[in-house]
Amino acid sequence: MKITITLNGKRIQEEIANDVLLIDFLRAHGCYSVKRGCETSNCGLCTVWMDQKPVLSCSLLCAKCDGHSITTLEGVQKQAEAFAYFMAHEGAEQCGFCSPGLIMNVLAMEQELQAPTMDEIRSYLAGNLCRCTGYMGQMRAIQKYLHRNKEAAHETDQ
Ligand code: FES
Ligand code: FES
């Protein structure tokens, strides 16, 4: 079947097999940030956005993305760098394999939720598993990242 997808702002029209998964389509188009973990919708490593909302690309047929816009980490480099600064500062990364999926969900959460509580953050990110860190550094980085504008304003006031 022929599909049209806007990938990171670029329109792609292509003939694909009916059973191609989105993750394979994305990696075949050079989006190597999209990682393969469980392949059963349980780890969040393969998270990308469809029309700005997070989806699990290991469990989504590419055919279903026809006519939609897909964003991967490669398409949000600037925002990702801002969050990565806080991750590095909090020592929140070890092997880093889970980071692309986590970053895509954190950025989506930032767009979706106004001043989320810790419980809301935990619940939003419940599908992002990490085998290395124990999550504490990640949670500190996320909180500091979400409060960065407030803290910067506070420092300017002083
Ligand atoms: S690889 Fe998609 S959720 Fe784990
Ligand atoms: S840092 Fe290794 S899986 Fe998260």
Side-chain angles (χ1 to χ4, degrees):
M1 68 176 290
K2 195 172 200 168
I3 55 156
T4 306
I5 288 181
T6 304
L7 174 56
N8 295 328
K10 196 173 142 213
R11 194 164 176 269
I12 298 174
Q13 205 160 47
E14 203 169 295
E15 197 68 43
I16 59 158
N18 291 349
D19 59 352
V20 170
L21 290 169
L22 180 60
I23 187 170
D24 293 319
F25 178 86
L26 293 174
R27 290 184 60 88
H29 283 83
C31 298
Y32 300 120
S33 71
V34 187
K35 298 285 186 272
R36 178 173 251 112
C38 64
E39 296 186 88
T40 54
S41 308
N42 281 298
C43 74
L45 261 67
C46 63
T47 304
V48 299
W49 298 346
M50 179 154 85
D51 301 334
Q52 303 293 307
K53 298 274 184 244
V55 291
L56 297 170
S57 61
C58 74
S59 310
L60 187 59
L61 284 173
C62 201
K64 290 226 171 193
C65 305
D66 184 29
H68 293 275
S69 129
I70 300 294
T71 309
T72 69
L73 189 63
E74 286 82 357
V76 289
Q77 281 300 304
K78 225 178 152 130
Q79 297 106 294
E81 268 171 34
F83 176 53
Y85 166 84
F86 288 89
M87 290 276 281
H89 223 71
E90 295 301 325
E93 227 178 32
Q94 289 184 29
C95 79
F97 201 63
C98 65
S99 294
L102 174 71
I103 293 171
M104 291 310 284
N105 256 340
V106 168
L107 298 181
M109 177 178 71
E110 187 184 18
Q111 291 176 42
E112 218 175 291
L113 304 181
Q114 284 283 322
T117 62
M118 278 303 278
D119 280 350
E120 284 172 326
I121 295 173
R122 281 198 199 98
S123 142
Y124 198 99
L125 302 174
N128 288 90
L129 302 187
C130 172
R131 301 197 90 170
C132 309
T133 67
Y135 304 103
M136 297 309 285
Q138 292 180 348
M139 290 309 280
R140 282 196 309 274
I142 291 163
Q143 279 185 297
K144 290 192 176 173
Y145 170 73
L146 293 175
H147 289 111
R148 68 196 181 284
N149 294 333
K150 230 196 285 171
E151 276 171 26
H154 183 64
E155 275 165 27
T156 324
D157 289 348
Q158 286 181 343

